[in-house]
């Protein structure tokens, strides 16, 4: 007998899956574990019940909304267990038991005789301490039907915390987008495999705390099938920071040349340059407008800087030739001067990080290059794909992969649940950082971090993933004094700490 009383955790596995992958694996995993699918549902309901008791220990009145599928069956198990323990349980069953799948039908039969008050409508419900959302599962495809829209609208209007089973009803398990409408949960417990949509798109606004249970299966999902999507965080990726020899000098750690800072945006290239320094690159050179040299150098004299006009082609060519890595875009603009810098950089064979107006110029003159990293936010991604922002956000995985393949690049699609994608369709989801990062200059800092890691010989995909995690972790540390009013420059001292993890042990 497997005891799953404590078999749920906020420490999520690193592999992520589509809903279909998990559905296909369930029968085989259950067979390997020598249990039936009925028993697997019993475990899901039992784990959910114990999570409920841990999260809301004083709760005694439950409102359970169960659909007609196996997600509803999980809710029926919770209803039975709670009633057996003396809870006041009200159940709205949205579906005909005659048409339940086998496992849910079994859970329904076990519920008969339990002290559960059946509801016809939510308007009949009394006060409750917690709502259990077991209406629609992770297999939902297409828009939520009108009858379920009404139920979800009513659930969201209740003044009670919500525990979602497997996924908030109405949220796409594959993309993280609400399929018209979705339940706004306080906590979500998901089973067997983490669905990739729980960590990107709009999911953070609907899932609340995410917890996981493998339902006591002895063999994890990873043993059944290797997924193409991985979760990442600073704890996982910090080991990719390269070891520093005791005889190292600045030449070991590369020369990064940053191009940008058109009129009015000198701060962008300065932030990117200092982020590159704080990440550990050896030499940093900024190419910007001559009028901006004092702004760049006054607060950070360790930077090298050249002011360029359209006649300074010799200096531009020399700087690019000497570079280990190029960072193009922070404050670049789209003037003739901007296009001149952009064109020179893209014609070189140097590893390159392209951001901001560098991406907007690329959208105007699309080309594939190979050894570069593109860092679009959804608006820039839409321009790169010649589509609307809503098309990008509808499926962030598909959009990131499409950009990666079209431009032959490693792509960092920024946003809540940043996605790093490669042309061969490998994806990482990096659900890091906080809303305090919604201020100007944050993207410039990220570009600088990526450039600094590339200069230290971190491979492109690793550099992109690690940079996003350093960026997010630095923001979390900087937010100790509050997220509102946090500035991009507040991350810089935290970055220095994080790129020296051995000092924190």
């Amino acid at each position: 007998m497997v005891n799953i009383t404590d078999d749920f955790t906020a420490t999520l596995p690193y592999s992520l899956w589509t809903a279909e992958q998990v559905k296909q694996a369930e029968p085989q995993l259950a067979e390997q574990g020598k249990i039936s699918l009925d028993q697997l549902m019993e475990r899901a309901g039992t784990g959910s019940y114990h999570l409920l008791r841990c999260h809301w220990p004083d709760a005694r009145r439950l409102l359970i909304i169960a659909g007609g599928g196996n997600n509803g069956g999980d809710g029926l198990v919770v209803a039975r267990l709670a009633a057996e323990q003396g809870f006041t349980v009200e159940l709205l069953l949205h579906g005909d038991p005659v048409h339940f799948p086998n496992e849910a039908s079994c859970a329904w039969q076990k519920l008969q005789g339990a002290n559960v008050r059946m509801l016809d409508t939510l308007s009949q419900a009394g006060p409750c301490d917690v709502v259990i959302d077991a209406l629609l599962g992770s297999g939902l495809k297409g828009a939520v039907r009108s009858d379920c829209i009404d139920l979800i609208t009513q659930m969201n209007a209740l003044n009670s915390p919500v525990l979602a089973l497997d996924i908030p009803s109405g949220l796409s398990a594959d993309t993280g987008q609400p399929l018209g409408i979705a339940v706004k949960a306080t906590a979500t417990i998901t089973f067997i495999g983490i669905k990739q949509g729980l960590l990107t798109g709009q999911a953070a606004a609907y899932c609340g705390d995410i917890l996981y249970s493998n339902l006591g299966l002895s063999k994890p999902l990873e043993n059944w099938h290797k997924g193409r999507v991985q979760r990442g965080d600073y704890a996982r990726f910090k080991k990719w920071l390269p070891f520093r020899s005791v005889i190292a000098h600045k030449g070991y750690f590369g020369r990064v040349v940053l191009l940008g800072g058109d009129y009015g945006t000198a701060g962008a290239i300065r932030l990117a340059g200092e982020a590159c320094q704080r990440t550990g690159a050896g030499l940093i050179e900024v190419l910007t407008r001559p009028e901006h040299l004092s702004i760049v150098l006054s607060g950070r004299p360790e930077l090298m800087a050249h002011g360029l006009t359209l006649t300074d082609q010799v200096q531009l060519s020399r700087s690019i030739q000497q570079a280990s890595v190029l960072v193009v875009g922070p404050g670049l603009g789209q003037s003739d001067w901007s296009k001149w810098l952009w064109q020179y950089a893209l014609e070189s064979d140097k590893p390159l990080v392209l951001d901001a107006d560098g991406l907007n110029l690329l959208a105007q003159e699309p080309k594939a290059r190979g050894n570069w990293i593109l860092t679009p936010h959804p608006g820039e991604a839409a321009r790169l794909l010649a589509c609307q922002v809503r098309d990008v956000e509808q499926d962030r995985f598909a959009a990131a992969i499409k950009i990666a393949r079209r431009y032959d690049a490693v792509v960092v699609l920024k946003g809540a649940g940043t996605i790093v994608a490669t042309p061969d369709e490998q994806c990482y989801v990096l659900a890091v950082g906080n809303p305090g990062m919604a201020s100007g200059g944050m993207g410039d800092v990220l570009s600088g971090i990526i450039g600094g890691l590339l200069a230290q010989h971190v491979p492109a995909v690793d550099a992109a993933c690690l940079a996003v995690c350093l960026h997010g972790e630095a923001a979390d540390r900087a937010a100790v004094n509050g997220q509102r009013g946090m500035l991009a420059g507040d991350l810089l001292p935290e970055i220095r700490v994080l790129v020296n993890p051995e000092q924190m042990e």
Side-chain angles (χ1 to χ4, degrees), residues 44-196:
T46 302
S48 301
Y49 171 73
H50 286 295
L51 173 59
L52 165 72
R53 297 298 303 272
C54 289
H55 249 51
W56 297 281
D58 297 327
R60 301 303 299 170
R61 300 171 300 180
L62 301 184
L63 171 60
I64 301 176
I65 295 92
N70 283 335
N71 186 250
D74 297 340
L76 298 179
V77 175
V78 176
R80 189 192 81 240
L81 295 174
E84 289 172 352
Q85 295 300 313
F87 279 66
T88 298
V89 180
E90 296 184 321
L91 172 63
L92 191 152
L93 191 63
H94 189 71
D96 186 344
V98 173
H99 303 298
F100 279 1
N102 291 337
E103 297 78 27
S105 182
C106 182
W108 172 247
Q109 293 302 320
K110 289 181 179 180
L111 182 65
Q112 302 311 301
N115 186 19
V116 173
R117 181 185 176 220
M118 301 300 295
L119 306 178
D120 295 319
T121 66
L122 280 184
S123 63
Q124 298 173 337
C128 67
D129 299 317
V130 180
V131 178
I132 306 297
D133 167 28
L135 179 61
L136 302 171
S138 58
L140 178 66
K141 298 184 185 301
V144 176
R145 298 193 315 265
S146 59
D147 53 339
C148 291
I149 288 175
D150 292 340
L151 273 176
I152 292 173
T153 300
Q154 292 175 67
M155 269 194 277
N156 285 339
L158 295 172
N159 189 26
S160 298
V162 177
L163 172 61
L165 306 190
D166 203 31
I167 193 167
S169 292
L171 190 71
S172 169
D174 294 342
T175 69
Q177 293 300 106
L179 296 170
I181 189 173
V183 168
K184 293 185 177 180
T186 311
T188 298
I189 180 169
T190 194
F191 309 114
I192 300 180
I194 304 297
K195 289 71 181 176
Q196 64 185 41

Side-chain angles (χ1 to χ4, degrees), residues 196-277:
Q196 64 185 41
L198 293 176
L199 300 178
T200 193
Q202 296 295 310
Y206 293 91
C207 293
D209 297 329
I210 299 175
L211 297 103
Y212 164 75
S213 173
N214 71 353
L215 302 184
L217 295 171
S218 58
K219 293 187 177 181
L221 190 56
E222 287 85 345
N223 291 355
W224 174 80
H225 177 75
K226 182 172 177 58
R228 67 179 177 86
V229 182
Q230 295 281 309
R231 182 180 69 85
D233 54 25
Y234 171 71
R236 181 184 190 185
F237 294 144
K238 66 181 181 181
K239 64 179 180 293
W240 291 349
L241 287 160
F243 170 77
R244 292 205 156 197
S245 167
V246 295
I247 60 170
H249 55 75
K250 60 181 179 288
Y252 280 47
F253 307 120
R255 184 186 186 104
V256 182
V257 176
L258 300 99
L259 297 84
D262 203 351
Y263 293 126
T265 55
I269 199 69
R270 157 72 190 281
L271 281 167
E274 187 166 353
C276 200
Q277 289 177 310

Side-chain angles (χ1 to χ4, degrees), residues 485-502:
M486 186 169 70
L487 303 179
D490 296 335
L491 275 59
L492 296 171
E494 305 298 343
I495 292 167
R496 184 186 177 193
V497 174
L498 293 168
V499 294
N500 292 285
E502 69 280 357

Side-chain angles (χ1 to χ4, degrees), residues 19-39:
E20 185 62 26
Q21 287 172 328
V22 176
K23 179 181 178 181
Q24 291 180 5
E26 278 185 10
Q28 298 179 54
L29 293 171
E31 183 179 354
Q32 291 171 1
K34 296 181 170 53
I35 65 170
S36 67
L37 292 177
D38 294 348
Q39 291 171 312

